[in-house]
C-alpha cells in the first residue's frame, strides 16, 4: 500500500475510549469502588467491579448505593472521581503504544475524540496530558445516556463534524463496543481489557495498541461491508 493509498483509506476520525484502552486506569476505578464499599462495610467483590467495566458512572454508583453505600448517586460518583483524580495527580499511566498511535494519527491529519464514561475532571486531565491529540472530549457527565447507549459516540462524531460510519472506534470493553456499534461506527478495534470482548461482525481484535498503526487503521476502515465500495473503488 502506497502512502497515498494509505491516506485515502484512513478513517475520517478515530474515537477513543479511555479507561483500559489509552490509560491503565481501570484498576484505579476498581480500587476506588472497593475503598468506598469497605468504608461502608459493604461487600464488593472483584466480580462486582468487573461487571461495571465500561458502564456509566451513575449506574455503578446506583449499584453501590443499593448495596448499602450511603449518600446520593451524585455524591458517590463525586467520591469515585475524587479518588481517581488524586491517583492521577502524579502520573498518567499510558498503555504501551498509546502515545505513539496518537502522534501518528495527528501527523496523518486524522482527528481524534476521547469518548469515556469517566467524568470531566478525569477525562480532561488525560486529554491535557495528550497535548493537542484530542479535538474534543465526550465525558460521562456530558451525556444523558452512557455506554452501552450510542449517545456518547454519536456526540463525538457530531462534535467532529463527521458521520459515525466514517469513523473507527477503539475500545476495550463490551459496553463500550456495543455503544460504538449502536452509533454506527465503521468498525471497532478492540484491545485486550480486564473483561474479554467476544468476536463479532464489525469488531477487529488486536493484541495491544503497540500493534496499532496507520496501516492497521487503514485496513480497519476498509473492512466493513457497508464501506467496501469506498475502499475497492466501486
Amino acid at each position: 500500500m502506497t502512502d497515498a493509498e494509505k491516506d485515502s483509506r484512513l478513517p475520517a476520525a478515530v474515537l477513543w475510549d479511555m479507561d483500559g484502552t489509552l490509560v491503565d486506569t481501570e484498576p484505579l476505578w476498581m480500587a476506588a469502588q472497593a475503598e468506598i464499599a469497605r468504608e461502608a462495610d459493604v461487600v464488593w467483590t472483584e466480580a462486582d467491579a468487573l461487571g461495571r467495566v465500561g458502564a456509566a458512572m451513575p449506574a455503578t454508583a446506583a449499584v453501590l448505593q443499593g448495596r448499602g453505600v450511603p449518600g446520593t448517586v451524585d455524591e458517590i460518583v463525586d467520591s469515585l472521581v475524587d479518588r481517581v483524580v488524586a491517583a492521577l495527580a502524579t502520573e498518567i499511566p499510558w498503555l504501551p503504544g498509546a502515545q505513539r498511535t496518537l502522534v501518528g494519527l495527528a501527523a496523518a491529519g486524522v482527528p481524534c475524540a476521547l469518548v469515556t464514561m469517566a467524568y470531566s475532571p478525569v477525562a480532561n486531565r488525560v486529554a491535557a496530558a495528550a497535548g493537542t491529540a484530542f479535538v474534543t472530549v465526550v465525558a460521562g457527565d456530558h451525556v444523558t445516556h452512557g455506554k452501552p447507549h450510542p449517545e456518547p459516540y454519536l456526540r463525538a462524531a457530531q462534535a467532529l463534524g463527521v458521520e459515525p460510519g466514517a469513523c473507527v472506534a477503539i475500545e476495550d470493553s463490551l459496553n463500550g463496543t456495543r455503544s460504538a456499534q449502536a452509533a454506527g461506527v465503521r468498525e471497532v478495534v478492540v484491545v485486550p481489557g480486564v473483561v474479554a470482548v467476544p468476536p463479532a461482525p464489525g469488531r477487529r481484535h488486536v493484541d495491544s495498541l503497540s500493534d496499532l498503526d496507520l496501516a492497521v487503521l487503514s485496513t480497519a476502515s476498509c473492512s466493513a461491508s457497508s464501506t467496501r465500495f469506498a475502499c475497492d473503488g466501486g
Side-chain angles (χ1 to χ4, degrees):
M1 181 185 296
T2 67
D3 288 343
E5 289 171 331
K6 182 187 299 181
D7 289 344
S8 68
R9 296 182 179 186
L10 283 169
V14 176
L15 313 179
W16 291 83
D17 174 55
M18 188 183 77
D19 296 308
T21 299
L22 270 176
V23 288
D24 190 22
T25 44
E26 290 292 7
L28 302 182
W29 290 109
M30 294 168 75
Q33 294 164 21
E35 287 173 3
I36 288 173
R38 185 168 58 251
E39 290 169 3
D41 288 326
V42 167
V43 174
W44 187 256
T45 67
E46 182 180 5
D48 291 325
L50 292 174
R52 307 314 308 161
V53 171
M57 290 190 63
T60 297
V63 174
L64 284 163
Q65 184 191 55
R67 295 286 181 86
V69 172
T72 67
V73 165
D74 287 344
E75 288 169 342
I76 295 171
V77 167
D78 287 344
S79 182
L80 289 168
V81 170
D82 289 346
R83 292 164 197 253
V84 174
V85 167
L88 293 174
T90 56
E91 181 184 10
I92 303 295
W94 296 104
L95 285 164
Q99 292 170 291
R100 175 189 57 78
T101 305
L102 288 171
V103 168
L105 288 168
V110 179
C112 291
L114 192 61
V115 187
T116 175
M117 290 299 89
Y119 274 28
S120 297
V122 176
N124 290 340
R125 184 178 290 270
V126 172
T132 59
F134 292 107
V135 177
T136 191
V137 175
V138 176
D141 50 337
H142 294 163
V143 298
T144 302
H145 305 288
K147 300 175 184 179
H149 193 279
E151 183 186 347
Y153 280 101
L154 290 173
R155 279 182 175 262
Q158 182 181 38
L160 294 176
V162 297
E163 291 296 323
C167 301
V168 169
I170 304 179
E171 272 283 356
D172 76 309
S173 75
L174 183 56
N175 281 322
T177 298
R178 287 174 172 166
S179 173
Q181 291 192 292
V185 301
R186 181 175 292 180
E187 187 164 65
V188 181
V189 176
V190 181
V191 297
V194 295
V195 179
V197 177
R203 302 174 187 174
R204 176 184 297 270
H205 286 72
V206 296
D207 291 335
S208 76
L209 287 182
S210 297
D211 298 326
L212 195 61
D213 58 18
L214 295 185
V216 172
L217 286 170
S218 297
T219 302
S221 69
C222 293
S223 64
S225 59
S226 63
T227 56
R228 190 170 294 133
F229 71 92
C231 302
D232 295 342

